[in-house]
Amino acid sequence: MAHVHADGYAELLRRLPGVELVGFTEADPELAAAFGRTTGLPAFADPQALAGQVDGALICSENAARRALVETAAAAGVHVLCEKPLATTLQDAQAMQAACEAGGVRFMTAFPMRYAPPALALRARLQAGQLGPLLAVSGVNHSESPARHRAWFADPQAAGGGAVMDHVVHLADLLRWMQGQEIGRVFAQVRTRPSAPSDTHALLLLTLQDGLNASIDPSWSRPAGYPRWGHLRMEVVGERATAVMDAFAEHLTLYPAGEPGRPAWLNYGLDANLGMLQAFVAMVRGAPSPITWNDGYQAMRVALAAYASQQQGQPVLL
């Protein structure tokens, strides 16, 4: 549960009928103690012991640790919801798929933005052809650095990178999901803020298989005092109309008296994470995976291609 989303997942799962939270496993003793206090759940020192007692498992570890946990779950016949990106290498991601196939378990990638009402509305309009032939897509996924909350996010070994690894996959997945095709080419400029251990800002120029051009800005560009964690926006330009989607636009602004200058944006409305977890529970009960291993794998390929493009100084073909 090293990922920052793990606490919220635990709270949301408790709202779902017929779901019992059994426990968790975490190698970091401080994180384990804090999570145990927050949730009241028991900690299991051995992941195999926990896997033997559950029907489904959420893998919310550091990126580099996910392969071993997925393999443990799959060997025990436990269905998996895995945080994104799936791993830090393509080889580890491929091994995860092989383990799930061998164990006969279903696998779901954690892409909650597919359940965000603005994203669903935009996809419906695209599928209906309301924007006309598309000309370009521009996306941003900004936040403060999550390393302020979990240091491993900025550790190249544990995370496999920085902002690119953390944020590219969401918009890459939305592009694939909305357009129904793969991303064929990636050109990227990746930069690191002075003194930061991993990349903090970047710009990707993508070309989809049908020739549509798109851009992704995945930067950790928000200051620590920003009112909300970050935001995800897409601007889709068509011949007949332009659509601008802001996935986190529903909020109330709170100005705490004790902290002048630090307002907070309180979200309301439907929770995309809740929709994703409901779909995961349905999958554990027998439904097919709505967001497959391949969805996670293809988005991860785009992030890794961005790093390769930066190193080579030229576009990378997928």
Side-chain angles (χ1 to χ4, degrees), residues 19 32 37 39 47 67 139 148 165 244 246-247 289 295:
V19 174
R37 287 192 302 270
T39 63
R67 172 182 173 176
R148 293 183 59 247
M165 204 66 174
V244 180
D246 188 332
S289 173
D295 291 324

Side-chain angles (χ1 to χ4, degrees), residues 10 13 43 45 105 107 113 119 125 158-159 167 183-184 193-194 201 218 223 238-239 246-247 296 317:
L13 282 167
V105 303
F107 183 101
M113 299 318 302
R125 282 159 177 75
H167 276 178
I183 294 167
R193 187 172 59 245
H201 50 290
E239 288 188 358
D246 188 332
L317 300 180

Side-chain angles (χ1 to χ4, degrees), residues 10-91:
E11 178 183 350
L12 291 171
L13 282 167
R14 283 193 158 125
R15 303 181 191 176
L16 302 183
V19 174
E20 177 189 358
L21 294 186
V22 175
F24 69 96
T25 179
E26 172 53 49
D28 185 313
E30 292 186 8
L31 285 179
F35 194 70
R37 287 192 302 270
T38 301
T39 63
L41 292 172
F44 286 70
D46 183 359
Q48 292 184 346
L50 177 59
Q53 301 188 40
V54 300
D55 302 305
L58 281 72
I59 309 300
C60 300
S61 68
E62 300 89 340
N63 300 347
R66 290 178 190 153
R67 172 182 173 176
L69 293 170
V70 169
E71 290 175 334
T72 297
V78 175
H79 304 293
V80 170
L81 172 62
C82 184
E83 261 298 344
K84 57 76 198 166
L86 299 185
T88 57
T89 68
L90 296 179
Q91 292 79 7

Side-chain angles (χ1 to χ4, degrees), residues 97-298:
Q97 181 198 34
C100 289
E101 290 181 346
V105 303
R106 291 179 288 279
F107 183 101
M108 180 175 172
T109 305
F111 282 138
M113 299 318 302
R114 290 197 187 190
Y115 298 92
L120 289 165
L122 175 57
R123 183 173 187 254
R125 282 159 177 75
L126 290 173
Q127 291 185 330
Q130 293 180 5
L131 275 63
L134 298 188
L135 304 176
V137 180
S138 175
V140 298
N141 188 3
H142 290 166
S143 76
E144 61 180 287
S145 171
R148 293 183 59 247
H149 307 276
R150 298 284 192 272
W152 69 264
F153 274 94
D155 181 343
Q157 293 301 314
V164 168
M165 204 66 174
D166 186 34
H167 276 178
V168 163
V169 290
H170 278 299
L171 283 164
D173 179 67
L174 289 179
L175 280 169
R176 295 181 62 252
W177 178 58
M178 291 184 178
Q179 294 302 111
Q181 58 183 290
E182 300 297 345
I183 294 167
R185 187 175 69 167
V186 178
F187 179 67
Q189 292 284 309
V190 183
R191 297 291 183 266
T192 302
R193 187 172 59 245
S195 77
S198 61
D199 55 282
T200 53
H201 50 290
L203 183 63
L204 281 66
L205 302 180
L206 315 174
T207 304
L208 278 67
Q209 288 178 327
D210 69 349
L212 178 67
N213 291 318
S215 67
I216 295 178
D217 178 349
S219 304
W220 288 343
S221 57
R222 297 301 179 190
Y226 197 66
R228 63 176 170 178
W229 176 264
H231 71 271
L232 185 146
R233 284 170 52 95
M234 286 183 70
E235 182 171 338
V236 183
V237 181
E239 288 188 358
R240 291 201 296 269
T242 295
V244 180
M245 178 198 75
D246 188 332
F248 303 118
E250 293 184 310
H251 61 265
L252 301 172
T253 304
L254 177 69
Y255 298 90
E259 296 183 83
R262 296 198 58 171
W265 289 354
L266 307 181
N267 290 333
Y268 62 89
L270 296 176
D271 189 325
N273 285 329
L274 179 59
M276 179 186 71
L277 293 173
Q278 289 171 327
F280 171 60
V281 171
M283 186 191 78
V284 172
R285 289 173 173 155
S289 173
I291 310 174
T292 65
W293 169 87
N294 186 59
D295 291 324
Y297 182 72
Q298 296 301 334

